[in-house]
Amino acid sequence: MAREGPPPALLARYGGDVVLRFNISTAEEAEALAEATITLFLDVWESTAEWADIRLAKDMVPSLLGLLPRSLEYAHTPLIYDLAQAIYESYPAPTTEDDTSPLSQKYRPFSPILTTPSNKVGTNIFFSDYRPLSVILPWMRLMQSLFDTHVRMINIGITYEGRDIPALRVGVHPTNSERPSGPRKTFIIAGGSHAREWISTSTVNYIAFSLISSYGKSKEMTKLLEEFDWIFVPTINPDGYVYTWETDRLWRKNRQQTSLRFCRGVDLDRGWGYQWDGARSKGNPCSESFAGDEPFQAVEADQFAQWAMNETENNNVKFVGFLDFHSYSQQVLYPYSFSCTHSPPTLENLEELGEGLAKAIRLTPHGENYAVTSACDGSVAIKDGIKKESKGFHPRLETGGGSALDWFYHTMGVKYAYQIKLRDTGSYGFLLPKENIVPTGTEAFKAITYFGNFLLGNKGFELRQEDKQATDTGTLQRNPTPEALSKLQPIRNDLQDSNAVSAVDEPGDLEWELKRRRRR
């Protein structure tokens, strides 16, 4: 049942907040804005070479403007006037009339710039809205049970609060004994480092389901699963993700205790070991970008790194691709993040594939435009009159050191590593409406498909006609074990209350799988 407005607790936290966009054109403006955000402990939502989005209380706007050059007094515009209402509308709608929780989804008073096709009959229910961890976990177990020939649920590590960091390992290992058995080429597709970026978690799940359910139906997808393993980590930060659902929708960091009792959390994308730059935020645990007091102090980042190193050292794995999904700003970013004065040794390769990923996204129906640049360039601006080659940049609004992107590229030697910042470009920011889940996931899946084909030497393209013929003639079949069906019912029962079982109902995957198993 729709309610009139946000509950008192939400109003108390965000009732007087707005999100402002500042257009930056000079080095003086950028430096002053960066210093002001530190001085006033402001939440920088996003920044690019041209603009920065900042959340702050309305009564703090005069204080902020007082610290900035006069040129910025009129170079800002409000993106979200009523933040509490926007947060309120970002949660799923109540399922019953008796539901008195603060979660509601009503029509938003202003429309997104993005193209969002209307929901069609038969749309996958699981991806019709954002899902809490309590629904995502049984959905992942269902994927393992239904598609046990090529899906395995694994645990990356343990969070600060004792939760598992779950992942799906997807792939088919050929049984041809004459084929050389070198290290298994593996992709990592991760999201949710920053808890409030819900679209990143949904996108990882959407890609995983799209790839999993295509095995045996598409020659192209089947080949990708035979040639590579795919590790899907919906959220590296389960503690923070749960906290965004239960307490604070805009929580960014993990939930780790710091030296200040009332300022919890370490930024998981600033706490990795390569070029860690904690000096800027050291001593300020209240900062949204607090990198910890030393590298890998963030429990989840350390666990993820230990798991990745163990895979390569002991499990015959070679990581060939790393994609870290974030929001927002619609950018494909490649290393380095820590510095604008250092270029990666494989720069041309990174740029080539990055442009291909952006093109694959753009050519998707309703596809958006994504910029392609280095992770450093995506967070700074170029000084007036100075060419990029001379490395004259504006000051950064937040440090880029200690990123997962740089660590996987440099320390782990992953040749193709990217951070993709998903929809949108600021109309909603982290509060992207649910109608964008499927279009965003579709764009990302096309990019992943291009990525895999590129590493196969196909430059992102396969013969779609062959796929159609193979599917029509039924020459590609999945071959699950007989034990899978007996495992399915307990998982289904576990999912009845969460609606996650509906995630396999498009296009008829559950019925298709059950009928095929009965024919065995």
Side-chain angles (χ1 to χ4, degrees), residues 47 76 137 143 151 161 166 197 233 236 254-255 269 283 311 314 345 368 372 391 402 406 428 433:
S47 62
H76 63 86
L137 288 175
M143 293 298 100
V151 179
E161 293 183 340
E197 298 170 8
V233 190
I236 303 170
N254 72 356
R255 292 294 299 159
D269 200 35
E311 287 292 294
N314 300 315
E368 291 292 315
V372 181
K391 305 300 181 183
D406 289 356
Y428 293 93

Side-chain angles (χ1 to χ4, degrees), residues 13-250:
R13 187 185 296 269
Y14 292 114
D17 285 12
V18 295
V19 178
L20 301 180
R21 169 162 294 181
F22 287 85
N23 297 310
I24 305 170
S25 57
T26 69
E28 179 189 15
E29 292 176 351
E31 184 173 5
L33 189 58
E35 292 178 355
T37 58
I38 295 174
T39 301
L40 299 176
F41 298 100
L42 301 182
D43 181 8
V44 179
W45 273 30
E46 189 57 77
S47 62
T48 70
E50 292 83 26
W51 49 261
D53 295 345
I54 298 175
R55 175 184 66 83
L56 73 166
K58 295 175 184 176
D59 57 13
M60 288 189 66
V61 174
S63 299
L64 173 60
L65 296 179
L67 297 174
L68 302 178
R70 290 185 61 85
S71 57
L72 286 178
E73 288 187 16
Y74 303 100
H76 63 86
T77 55
L79 292 180
I80 301 179
Y81 294 91
D82 189 344
L83 187 58
Q85 182 68 26
I87 292 172
Y88 180 64
E89 294 171 359
S90 73
Y91 285 99
T95 55
T96 68
E97 293 186 359
D98 296 330
D99 192 340
T100 58
S101 70
L103 313 182
S104 177
Q105 178 75 38
K106 298 186 296 184
Y107 178 74
R108 195 175 180 88
F110 50 94
S111 299
I113 298 175
L114 303 172
T115 303
T116 55
S118 59
N119 289 337
K120 299 178 181 179
V121 176
T123 295
N124 193 316
I125 293 178
F126 185 74
F127 298 108
S128 65
D129 215 328
Y130 295 104
R131 304 297 176 190
L133 189 64
S134 60
V135 173
I136 293 174
L137 288 175
W139 177 83
M140 294 174 74
R141 290 193 288 270
L142 178 65
M143 293 298 100
Q144 175 181 244
S145 294
L146 273 180
F147 307 100
D148 63 326
T149 57
H150 54 288
V151 179
R152 185 159 56 95
M153 190 172 176
I154 62 174
N155 182 26
I156 297 298
I158 305 297
T159 70
Y160 175 79
E161 293 183 340
R163 294 182 176 87
D164 288 343
I165 305 175
L168 292 176
R169 185 174 220 124
V170 182
V172 180
H173 293 218
T175 57
N176 185 355
S177 60
E178 297 179 359
R179 184 173 181 175
S181 57
R184 179 66 170 175
K185 296 178 181 180
T186 302
F187 285 86
I188 296 177
I189 314 298
S193 290
H194 295 147
R196 60 191 178 187
E197 298 170 8
W198 286 4
I199 189 61
S200 68
T201 295
S202 293
T203 297
V204 172
N205 287 334
Y206 188 93
I207 298 169
F209 176 71
S210 299
L211 190 61
I212 289 168
S213 61
S214 296
Y215 176 66
K217 296 180 180 180
S218 161
K219 179 180 178 181
E220 179 185 12
M221 298 301 112
T222 300
K223 186 175 183 180
L224 291 178
L225 290 181
E226 290 177 346
E227 295 293 333
F228 305 105
D229 269 7
W230 303 78
I231 308 295
F232 294 98
V233 190
T235 175
I236 303 170
N237 184 10
D239 293 348
Y241 188 71
V242 169
Y243 194 74
T244 63
W245 281 85
E246 296 180 351
T247 306
D248 183 358
R249 173 65 179 85
L250 295 181

Side-chain angles (χ1 to χ4, degrees), residues 37 39 49 64 75 120 132 144 174 177 219 256 272 274-275 339 375 398 405 411 424 431 434 478 485 502 516:
T37 58
T39 301
L64 173 60
K120 299 178 181 179
Q144 175 181 244
S177 60
K219 179 180 178 181
Q256 193 166 336
W272 293 71
Y274 181 67
Q275 294 294 333
S339 172
E398 57 181 3
L405 172 68
T411 304
D424 59 5
L431 307 176
K434 63 181 181 179
R478 283 175 281 191
L485 189 57
S502 301
R516 189 190 60 73

Side-chain angles (χ1 to χ4, degrees), residues 280-428:
R280 183 168 180 176
S281 64
K282 191 172 183 179
N284 183 17
C286 299
S287 169
E288 292 287 356
S289 301
F290 179 58
D293 295 320
E294 60 184 5
F296 287 119
Q297 182 180 1
V299 170
E300 294 81 3
D302 181 62
Q303 292 276 292
F304 198 0
Q306 294 297 328
W307 172 84
M309 290 188 290
N310 181 66
E311 287 292 294
T312 58
E313 294 170 3
N314 300 315
N315 293 331
N316 200 30
V317 166
K318 177 179 174 60
F319 292 115
V320 295
F322 174 74
L323 271 183
D324 186 17
F325 285 104
H326 286 256
S327 73
Y328 55 96
S329 69
Q330 295 176 197
Q331 296 185 95
V332 178
L333 305 176
Y334 52 80
Y336 286 115
S337 174
F338 79 92
S339 172
C340 294
T341 61
H342 292 76
S343 296
T346 59
L347 177 60
E348 292 185 1
N349 300 103
L350 290 167
E351 289 179 331
E352 179 186 6
L353 178 53
E355 293 290 347
L357 297 176
K359 183 177 181 180
I361 292 172
R362 186 173 67 254
L363 294 181
T364 303
H366 311 289
E368 291 292 315
N369 290 319
Y370 278 59
V372 181
T373 187
S374 76
C376 174
D377 293 351
S379 299
V380 299
I382 301 172
K383 288 184 179 179
D384 301 339
I386 301 178
K387 293 183 179 180
K388 182 177 177 179
E389 288 76 7
S390 63
K391 305 300 181 183
F393 296 93
H394 290 168
R396 304 181 67 142
L397 290 184
E398 57 181 3
T399 178
S403 69
L405 172 68
D406 289 356
W407 188 85
F408 273 97
Y409 177 77
H410 185 273
T411 304
M412 293 298 293
V414 180
K415 184 177 180 180
Y416 294 102
Y418 297 89
Q419 182 182 105
I420 295 185
K421 294 194 174 183
L422 300 164
R423 297 187 180 194
D424 59 5
T425 56
S427 296
Y428 293 93

